[in-house]
Amino acid sequence: MTLSSSVTRRHPLLAALSLALVAALSACGGSNSGPVASPEPSEQYVPPEPPSGYTPKAITYAQKDMVSAANPLAVQAGVDILAKGGSALDAAIAVQMVLNLVEPQSSGIGGGAFLLHFDKGANSLLAYDGRETAPAAATPNLFIGANGSPLGFLAAVDGGLSVGTPGLLRMLEAAHKAHGKLPWKDLFEPAIKLSEDGFAISPRMSVSIAGSAARIKAQGEPAASYFLNADGTAKAAGTLLKNPELAATFRAIAAGGADAFYKGDIARDIVAKVTKHPTNPGRLSEADLANYTHKVREPVCGTYRVQYRVCGMPAPSSGGIAVLQTLGLLQNFDVAALKPNTLDSVHLVSEAYRLAYADRALYVADPDFVSVPQAGLVNADYLKERAKLIRMDQTIGTPTAGTPPGVSAARGQDNSLNLPSTSHLSIVDRNGNVVSMTTTIENGFGSLQMVRGFLLNNQLTDFSFTATDAAGKPIANSVQPGKRPRSSMAPTVVFNASTGDVEAVIGSPGGSAIIQYTAKSLIGMIDWGLNVQQAINLPNFGAQTNATTSLEKGSLIDTAAIRDGLRARGHTVAQTDTFTSGLHGVVYNGLRANGQAGLLSRNPGAGTYAGGADPRREGIAKGND
């Protein structure tokens, strides 16, 4: 792999469906000398939101454009904006505002996002960083309790202490000025109308509320009465829910721009909610909001299997780096020959994940505060050397971080949990412009603090709770004033390496497992020749910084043969029904200028674009013909 820095709870399927899918899938530099001490074994991955079922979905085609996102109402808002001549960026804003209303547990204006934008006319890919920042008054011991020990996760989350300065709106406004076509105010109209008229609570939203009902009730108003019945139970799916306060907030932002959020009455209310929390006050100030700035960064990109240039989000996200590391490690193996859903493919890909996560835990943080050896981490020679640690007959077990080119100082082992409650949207417009955006408020329902109709993030708990590790070494992802916490979000755009044409747009929510979900889909499309929906459907599995390999419970790989085979190679095997990815992807499905078919679509359907949506969540893909 040639790389550069520039760059469910799943309900078991019917036997017939499983057999059909099996049949379909069967058809279809520097050395690692001086390794760094391995991270402490982490707990088994636990997602920020509960699973809500598995609904098989068919691949979708459209001629002019395509939106794939987490809720049909949000997708329709984006499709309508595109039909009016809006750009991909315009559609993304409309989709996000509706998601804030209909999927409030996952993302919204009280949080942040990472966005990749490809401008077809300028042939330019930019990475927009709208990640939250730590308040100016934050200190490295922000999450150290009175007894001198780190707080428990939920003790840190619930309340004002965990709230970082939201970045989403400031980032979207800047991107709109550069890439928007329709007026800013018009992009809020779908969300305003739905907020005022009401919408039916979706099954997933109701399940999410139920999973957090006790915590929501404990935090009180206004969230309690908005999400819960009088008896403290979750409002049921199908309940008509209106949010006039959010409509008023959207109207103010539509008329006054992002300044209406970052300055004035809304900002004062946000700060009051955070700092006046009765038991867990935070340190956010009006100055933090007024001074927030987004960043425009250079994407991290690499070439995989010669034909494809894969681009992702750079630090402070670990997502793009770790996805490229995974592919770079697998570049040294014939993954296509192993076939999907086999013991060998699960073993090999999990081993690549282990090595990528070991480096992620040690080196990746906000590059404005620490030196991140990003180019070294994705260096082809470094990854080729690291790949020699992978054996097909035995697991690595608990992985050891390598020493990539560019390492300048000893690093401590990070102990952050990184459980972002998140959503992803992929959009291509009729002019070939692209948005891949992953957006988050961190844990399910964020900090549970509701202001003017929207929830505030708990993003600061993505930092390490301690500034040094057990050996006294400084942790890269520790809390500092103005710093952005490390993320796993991995919005991705794939190009034809020869022509420069966009081949695929994809990404997922899912906390630290986002890296695995995104990489899985790319491997499915590139190595195994699957279309975008088939690749998204692939069973989820993976490993991080320990010897445990997790398998999606009830899936095609959750078999005695694979479990026993992994154990024979030294894996600790965990079956989990909580691998609730939310992959949303779009691929090019037509003929290129050179007469070549879009290489990733691999399907006979009619349409310029093909879209896929994760059956583990309730999103769809849709476009205009």
Side-chain angles (χ1 to χ4, degrees):
M1 183 174 189
T2 304
L3 294 160
S4 71
S5 61
S6 66
V7 173
T8 44
R9 181 172 191 171
R10 168 175 189 165
H11 294 324
L13 298 178
L14 296 174
L17 178 60
S18 296
L19 291 173
L21 185 54
V22 170
L25 296 181
S26 298
C28 332
S31 68
N32 187 26
S33 60
V36 183
S38 62
E40 295 295 323
S42 59
E43 296 180 0
Q44 182 180 340
Y45 169 72
V46 179
E49 295 183 49
S52 56
Y54 187 100
T55 305
K57 296 175 183 177
I59 193 168
T60 303
Y61 302 97
Q63 293 288 355
K64 293 181 179 179
D65 45 47
M66 181 72 74
V67 178
S68 182
N71 182 281
L73 294 173
V75 169
Q76 189 60 56
V79 170
D80 290 345
I81 289 295
L82 292 174
K84 294 176 182 177
S87 67
L89 196 284
D90 292 332
I93 295 171
V95 170
Q96 172 65 90
M97 298 311 142
V98 174
L99 285 175
N100 193 151
L101 177 69
V102 302
E103 199 190 36
Q105 71 272 17
S106 299
S107 71
I109 59 176
F114 289 126
L115 184 154
L116 293 181
H117 184 274
F118 177 65
D119 185 323
K120 175 70 172 176
N123 192 32
S124 171
L125 181 71
L126 295 176
Y128 284 86
D129 177 348
R131 185 70 162 159
E132 298 90 336
T133 56
T139 62
N141 63 353
L142 185 69
F143 296 117
I144 301 299
N147 62 358
S149 298
L151 297 173
F153 181 67
L154 292 181
V157 167
D158 296 354
L161 187 64
S162 63
V163 179
T165 311
L168 177 71
L169 277 171
R170 190 63 83 191
M171 181 269 286
L172 286 178
E173 183 181 61
H176 178 259
K177 288 178 180 177
H179 311 293
K181 292 179 64 179
L182 299 182
W184 168 263
K185 63 180 180 61
D186 293 356
L187 309 178
F188 290 79
E189 290 178 0
I192 290 171
K193 180 173 175 54
L194 278 170
S195 297
E196 292 178 334
D197 295 348
F199 68 98
I201 293 177
S202 73
R204 180 169 184 81
M205 181 177 169
S206 181
V207 167
S208 295
I209 295 170
S212 297
R215 293 173 51 231
I216 293 172
K217 183 178 180 180
Q219 290 299 308
E221 298 302 328
S225 60
Y226 182 72
F227 291 112
L228 305 176
N229 297 311
D231 63 358
T233 59
K235 290 184 178 178
T239 302
L240 183 70
L241 190 61
K242 298 181 180 182
N243 194 335
E245 278 197 295
L246 184 59
T249 298
F250 282 155
R251 288 188 186 280
I253 297 167
D259 274 353
F261 178 90
Y262 288 94
K263 302 174 182 178
D265 291 344
I266 296 176
R268 282 191 287 274
D269 286 351
I270 292 172
V271 170
K273 189 70 174 180
V274 169
T275 59
K276 295 181 181 180
H277 191 276
T279 62
N280 198 21
R283 304 183 184 183
L284 189 69
S285 71
E286 289 185 49
D288 291 319
L289 286 160
N291 295 331
Y292 179 86
T293 57
H294 75 289
K295 301 274 185 178
V296 181
R297 303 187 188 274
E298 188 176 15
V300 57
C301 297
T303 304
Y304 185 56
R305 305 297 185 202
V306 180
Q307 302 102 312
Y308 306 103
R309 184 169 176 260
V310 181
C311 294
M313 196 73 202
S317 182
S318 65
I321 297 168
V323 167
L324 288 175
Q325 281 198 298
T326 300
L327 297 179
L329 292 161
L330 295 176
Q331 178 74 29
N332 298 281
F333 299 87
D334 188 356
V335 178
L338 299 182
K339 305 295 184 184
N341 304 329
T342 64
L343 170 61
D344 282 345
S345 63
V346 171
H347 168 80
L348 174 61
V349 176
S350 294
E351 296 299 276
Y353 289 149
R354 284 186 169 85
L355 294 175
Y357 276 90
D359 283 354
R360 165 189 177 273
L362 204 68
Y363 297 118
V364 182
D366 187 340
D368 296 328
F369 286 76
V370 298
S371 175
V372 179
Q374 183 166 282
L377 287 169
V378 298
N379 178 276
D381 291 335
Y382 170 69
L383 293 173
K384 184 175 183 180
E385 196 67 23
R386 291 279 281 166
K388 293 178 181 178
L389 298 172
I390 297 176
R391 293 173 48 179
M392 291 304 296
D393 64 339
Q394 183 177 334
T395 182
I396 295 166
T398 299
T400 298
T403 307
V407 171
S408 59
R411 298 284 174 79
Q413 301 301 332
D414 182 78
N415 59 14
S416 60
L417 292 180
N418 194 240
L419 301 177
S421 182
T422 309
S423 199
H424 181 83
L425 52 98
S426 295
I427 302 176
V428 180
D429 68 28
R430 64 196 61 194
N431 295 314
N433 303 306
V434 166
V435 166
S436 182
M437 184 172 83
T438 313
T439 171
T440 179
I441 57 171
E442 217 275 6
N443 197 45
F445 298 92
S447 62
L448 303 179
Q449 306 309 300
M450 198 170 193
V451 179
R452 290 182 175 245
F454 61 90
L455 288 164
L456 296 174
N457 70 85
N458 65 290
Q459 210 63 254
L460 299 185
T461 54
D462 267 0
F463 284 117
S464 170
F465 279 26
T466 60
T468 59
D469 68 2
K473 296 178 182 178
I475 295 172
N477 187 40
S478 61
V479 182
Q480 292 177 259
K483 192 175 183 180
R484 295 162 197 251
R486 188 191 65 203
S487 170
S488 297
M489 292 187 284
T492 303
V493 180
V494 182
F495 297 90
N496 182 303
S498 298
T499 67
D501 292 316
V502 171
E503 292 282 4
V505 189
I506 200 161
S508 179
S512 56
I514 286 172
I515 294 159
Q516 298 163 41
Y517 302 149
T518 305
K520 171 202 78 170
S521 299
L522 295 174
I523 294 164
M525 290 188 285
I526 295 173
D527 287 311
W528 294 327
L530 306 179
N531 68 41
V532 63
Q533 188 63 59
Q534 290 171 325
I536 288 171
N537 290 350
L538 283 170
N540 291 325
F541 65 90
Q544 297 195 21
T545 57
N546 57 26
T548 299
T549 297
S550 296
L551 306 177
E552 186 175 16
K553 189 174 183 179
S555 70
L556 297 174
I557 59 172
D558 183 24
T559 66
I562 290 180
R563 293 193 301 269
D564 291 345
L566 290 172
R567 291 187 183 110
R569 300 183 192 190
H571 297 252
T572 299
V573 178
Q575 299 164 272
T576 175
D577 59 2
T578 54
F579 255 150
T580 47
S581 55
L583 288 152
H584 294 100
V586 178
V587 299
Y588 186 89
N589 192 45
L591 291 177
R592 299 298 187 189
N594 60 6
Q596 299 276 322
L599 296 177
L600 292 187
S601 54
R602 317 281 185 149
N603 61 80
T608 304
Y609 301 107
D614 206 314
R616 301 161 186 86
R617 300 204 184 194
E618 56 194 12
I620 63 170
K622 187 176 182 180
N624 292 293
D625 292 323

